[in-house]
Amino acid sequence: PSLTILSLSNSIGFVPADVEEELGTYWPSDSFDLLRLGNAIGSNTNLKILNIRNTDGECLDSMAANGAFMDRLEYNSSINGLWLVNFQLFQGMGHDILKYFVAGNRNVTGIRFTECTLMNGGTSAVTSAAAGCPNLTDIKLVRCDVDNEILEEFVSGITGLDRLCTLGLPMNAIGRA
């Protein structure tokens, strides 16, 4: 079997509940690890989903600052799904991944954000990146504190996505007064 899902997490045993494919979990400890990881991701042709769980902001800041990692991530042609957990999407690595990997990527068909911050420009960062993904069919925002105002801004920002079939919004604050 080939590795199809890579989970970057320092939470031992973290596995998304709906994963049924081959899963590898890894957490880089230094710049050399990031370079090796970036090279591996850039040349991998079996990887379908990249899942990054932010439980250690310091390490993720290193990833964001590591140009080689972000450059190699950009070169991967097999990843079609991106899952981000616990990110601020208006700055830092979450924003960088949206800017350098999602925006303009023809391979991405699904993006999932869990417990991510959409306030302070996060909604705009996500919709701008998504607008550049012509084959995007699925967006999920899980426990992202989406309220009526954020939903209205989000829907307005994704109206040009012709292939979008699913906008999942479970466990949010929509309709609450």
Side-chain angles (χ1 to χ4, degrees), residues 30-88:
D30 59 30
S31 295
F32 183 70
D33 278 357
L34 283 173
L35 180 59
R36 285 185 8 193
L37 176 63
N39 285 335
I41 290 172
S43 62
N44 184 301
T45 58
N46 297 311
L47 195 58
K48 299 297 179 203
I49 296 173
L50 179 60
N51 173 24
I52 305 175
R53 183 176 179 89
N54 181 12
T55 54
D56 179 0
E58 187 175 311
C59 185
L60 292 175
D61 289 342
S62 297
M63 282 185 187
N66 189 307
F69 173 78
M70 296 305 284
D71 287 346
R72 295 307 296 163
L73 179 60
E74 219 175 337
Y75 287 112
N76 180 284
S77 61
S78 65
I79 297 173
N80 59 23
L82 176 68
W83 301 346
L84 297 179
V85 180
N86 193 28
F87 279 90
Q88 293 182 3

Side-chain angles (χ1 to χ4, degrees), residues 21-170:
E21 300 180 57
E22 292 297 315
L23 172 76
T25 301
Y26 179 75
W27 193 250
S29 61
D30 59 30
S31 295
F32 183 70
D33 278 357
L34 283 173
L35 180 59
R36 285 185 8 193
L37 176 63
N39 285 335
I41 290 172
S43 62
N44 184 301
T45 58
N46 297 311
L47 195 58
K48 299 297 179 203
I49 296 173
L50 179 60
N51 173 24
I52 305 175
R53 183 176 179 89
N54 181 12
T55 54
D56 179 0
E58 187 175 311
C59 185
L60 292 175
D61 289 342
S62 297
M63 282 185 187
N66 189 307
F69 173 78
M70 296 305 284
D71 287 346
R72 295 307 296 163
L73 179 60
E74 219 175 337
Y75 287 112
N76 180 284
S77 61
S78 65
I79 297 173
N80 59 23
L82 176 68
W83 301 346
L84 297 179
V85 180
N86 193 28
F87 279 90
Q88 293 182 3
L89 298 172
F90 60 91
Q91 66 183 12
M93 187 176 183
H95 183 265
D96 287 351
I97 289 174
L98 289 173
K99 182 177 174 184
Y100 295 108
F101 179 70
V102 176
N105 191 326
R106 301 185 71 76
N107 299 319
V108 173
T109 59
I111 50 179
R112 177 188 301 187
F113 304 96
T114 302
E115 298 172 357
C116 291
T117 303
L118 294 172
M119 295 178 194
N120 301 320
T123 303
S124 177
V126 172
T127 58
S128 294
C133 295
N135 296 315
L136 190 61
T137 60
D138 184 54
I139 299 174
K140 287 192 176 81
L141 304 168
V142 182
R143 289 190 307 267
C144 292
D145 291 328
V146 175
D147 60 14
N148 295 351
E149 186 178 325
I150 290 173
L151 178 61
E152 186 177 322
E153 181 184 351
F154 195 88
V155 170
S156 175
I158 61 170
T159 54
L161 293 172
D162 298 335
R163 295 186 182 201
L164 188 66
C165 297
T166 305
L167 175 59
L169 300 160

